[in-house]
Amino acid sequence: MTANVEVQPLPHWETKPEDVTGATVEIKRALKERIARSGRTVEEVFADLEARIARRVEAIQAEREAGEQVWPVIDFADIEAGTVPPELVAKVKERGCAVVRGTFPHEQALQWDRDIVDYTTRNEFFEKYTGPADDFFASVESTPEIYPIYWSQPQMEARQSPRMAAVQGFLNSQWTFESQGRQWFDPNRDSLYPDRIRRRPPGTDSAGLGTHLDTGSIDLYMTQGYQDVFRHVFSGDVESYDPWDAAHRTEAVNYPASTMCSAFRTFQGWTALSDMGHDQGVLHTVPIPEAMAYLMLRPLLDDVADDELCGIAHNQTFPISWKWHPLLMEAVSGIPDVQAGDTVWWHCDLIHSVAEVEDQVGWGNVMYIPAAPWCPRNEAYAGSVREAFLTGSSPSDFPEEHYERDWEGRFQPEQLNEIGRRGLGLTD
Ligand SMILES: [Fe+2]
């Protein structure tokens, strides 16, 4: 930004606007004007970006047709030894996702799966379960088999494992976490973001989960924090947008919603607790981190009504569709076969979906464990996580189901190691 050009601040709403339609019209007008001042129209900026993304899509399709693996696959042993080949590191940056083979030994992960069955059965979870308590996936067709369980031995053992910490540290360090004279997060300290378990039995018919984004919704346009995150996109300098730049990421806050994640996650992730075939209703992504810029600019084109954001709505997941994003939909790519103990990771802005499956072969079991590095935002959330941990409650980002409060065999404070204590903010 040059000093002699006066740039009007963008209108912003730090709480959800009363009049969302009016705010949508206002922010879209302001963004179009700002981009036009860059010397290119929104249409021109978008066309350049689209051409760049199209080349990435073609490369992905060519690899798929050649029978190559689109998702980078890394051996845990290489992460542990610091010997991940540079070309593989480059591939992680390019694709924004990875499978880490053998993060945990196969037999340990299978034992964890049995332990979860034991924990839930012993405490009569299935007798007490009253059905899904949130509308998280209301805008996306789905029937997830999610257990609102957070504090089992296997979950906490994995969260505080040095092996998990090594993988998280490797993934965090793909980000630029120091800039503008600040360290935005600590790549080597995780905040142990507690999430749920999925166990999907053999024979399941599932419609899967539609293509979506978890980053946010209208708040991505309307809050100052996200306007700072997307400052290059919103000023027409989309070539400077770097999906790995952590600047302002840890300060941007979403409007309260059932879809909200209070923590900043560099990557979303899960740990496989069963072997899963690549064609058994597994995770897919659009493995192009820069597609986020495409998503943010798309509603500004002339074919979208002034009060429309291509289906983005408060309190609903951000939908990606053939109607508005056909180029991106061409690149949807699934994970390879995974074994219990492998971990699967995708950049927090990556578009993702879960494929449909009929008569699923084998179990589809995972523990959701992301990389949520220590930063002021995650430290603040860790305060409420600590309370939930000590009382066996559901964490405050999730529905107030609290199944585990009086459960036997719950992970106890005296079982925390140094990683666990640091992650919960019980020690520095
Ligand atoms: Fe998601």
Side-chain angles (χ1 to χ4, degrees):
M1 197 181 299
T2 48
N4 59 348
V5 178
E6 198 182 323
V7 178
Q8 295 293 318
L10 290 169
H12 59 91
W13 297 262
E14 297 313 297
T15 57
K16 185 177 85 70
E18 291 282 311
D19 174 12
V20 170
T21 304
T24 302
V25 171
E26 193 179 338
I27 187 64
K28 283 182 67 170
R29 188 190 306 130
L31 288 170
K32 287 182 195 184
E33 282 174 14
R34 174 173 285 204
I35 291 172
R37 274 200 301 273
S38 74
R40 287 186 295 175
T41 64
V42 172
E43 269 68 23
E44 287 166 340
V45 171
F46 188 80
D48 288 351
L49 174 66
E50 192 169 37
R52 192 149 55 96
I53 302 260
R55 288 194 292 276
R56 303 279 283 272
V57 173
E58 279 166 28
I60 288 163
Q61 286 174 322
E63 282 179 34
R64 263 203 316 245
E65 279 159 26
E68 291 167 21
Q69 190 42 248
V70 172
W71 279 63
V73 177
I74 306 172
D75 283 331
F76 173 74
D78 278 335
I79 290 178
E80 196 176 33
T83 53
V84 181
E87 60 274 17
L88 201 47
V89 176
K91 197 87 169 177
V92 172
K93 295 287 286 273
E94 185 186 328
R95 296 281 150 91
C97 56
V99 172
V100 180
R101 291 261 185 246
T103 303
F104 299 102
H106 191 241
E107 184 46 44
Q108 176 172 32
L110 294 177
Q111 183 60 47
W112 277 343
D113 192 51
R114 290 191 289 270
D115 290 346
I116 287 167
V117 173
D118 180 60
Y119 179 61
T120 48
T121 308
R122 188 153 43 114
N123 289 292
E124 300 179 328
F125 171 63
F126 301 99
E127 289 84 342
K128 293 171 187 162
Y129 184 61
T130 53
D134 64 13
D135 56 357
F136 190 94
F137 297 109
S139 67
V140 194
E141 288 177 33
S142 71
T143 324
E145 284 81 5
I146 303 290
Y147 294 16
I149 302 302
Y150 305 90
W151 308 114
S152 68
Q153 299 282 336
Q155 284 164 294
M156 284 302 290
E157 281 175 31
R159 287 175 195 144
Q160 68 170 4
S161 159
R163 299 172 75 96
M164 178 60 77
V167 174
Q168 289 165 332
F170 168 81
L171 293 168
N172 290 337
S173 65
Q174 304 312 316
W175 285 70
T176 303
F177 51 85
E178 286 175 319
S179 64
Q180 303 179 13
R182 295 182 57 179
Q183 177 168 348
W184 299 96
F185 63 74
D186 178 349
N188 296 313
R189 179 180 182 182
D190 194 77
S191 65
L192 264 64
Y193 185 82
D195 203 327
R196 304 180 274 197
I197 290 163
R198 189 193 75 174
R199 296 191 82 252
R200 209 167 64 184
T204 295
D205 294 330
S206 170
L209 191 58
T211 323
H212 70 280
L213 190 75
D214 292 335
T215 316
S217 65
I218 57 173
D219 33 32
L220 301 179
Y221 289 92
M222 294 179 184
T223 62
Q224 191 163 25
Y226 279 108
Q227 289 172 359
D228 287 340
V229 168
F230 298 118
R231 61 201 179 281
H232 298 300
V233 178
F234 288 162
S235 66
D237 181 21
V238 73
E239 288 74 13
S240 294
Y241 173 67
D242 174 4
W244 302 98
D245 174 5
H248 307 291
R249 287 262 179 185
T250 58
E251 293 175 339
V253 180
N254 298 99
Y255 298 147
S258 60
T259 51
M260 188 182 67
C261 175
S262 297
F264 166 66
R265 295 175 290 192
T266 53
F267 282 79
Q268 300 199 56
W270 48 255
T271 300
L273 295 181
S274 64
D275 299 348
M276 283 172 266
H278 68 278
D279 53 357
Q280 298 302 314
V282 296
L283 178 75
H284 286 57
T285 62
V286 174
I288 308 173
E290 290 79 2
M292 190 68 199
Y294 182 108
L295 296 176
M296 296 311 291
L297 287 175
R298 184 65 188 84
L300 305 181
L301 297 189
D302 279 346
D303 62 342
V304 184
D306 288 344
D307 60 355
E308 250 291 322
L309 287 170
C310 297
I312 303 167
H314 174 65
N315 215 19
Q316 291 183 19
T317 46
F318 186 134
I320 320 301
S321 65
W322 284 103
K323 179 181 180 189
W324 295 115
H325 320 98
L327 174 65
L328 304 179
M329 296 295 284
E330 300 280 355
V332 172
S333 303
I335 57 169
D337 294 346
V338 294
Q339 281 79 52
D342 294 348
T343 50
V344 171
W345 303 92
W346 64 105
H347 183 292
C348 53
D349 284 350
L350 227 52
I351 299 161
H352 55 285
S353 63
V354 180
E356 59 179 29
V357 64
E358 242 177 72
D359 195 14
Q360 179 182 294
V361 176
W363 285 86
N365 302 347
V366 308
M367 299 191 281
Y368 296 100
I369 302 177
W374 202 254
C375 60
R377 175 172 167 184
N378 293 354
E379 181 176 359
Y381 186 63
S384 77
V385 168
R386 212 155 47 229
E387 284 306 305
F389 168 64
L390 293 172
T391 58
S393 305
S394 300
S396 57
D397 267 2
F398 295 89
E400 298 179 36
E401 294 167 290
H402 308 309
Y403 285 107
E404 293 169 274
R405 279 181 174 167
D406 59 358
W407 280 19
E408 186 186 285
R410 205 172 79 217
F411 189 92
Q412 294 300 308
E414 56 270 22
Q415 296 178 276
L416 289 169
N417 65 13
E418 183 71 5
I419 295 171
R421 281 193 295 274
R422 291 186 83 213
L424 292 170
L426 291 165
T427 183
D428 279 339

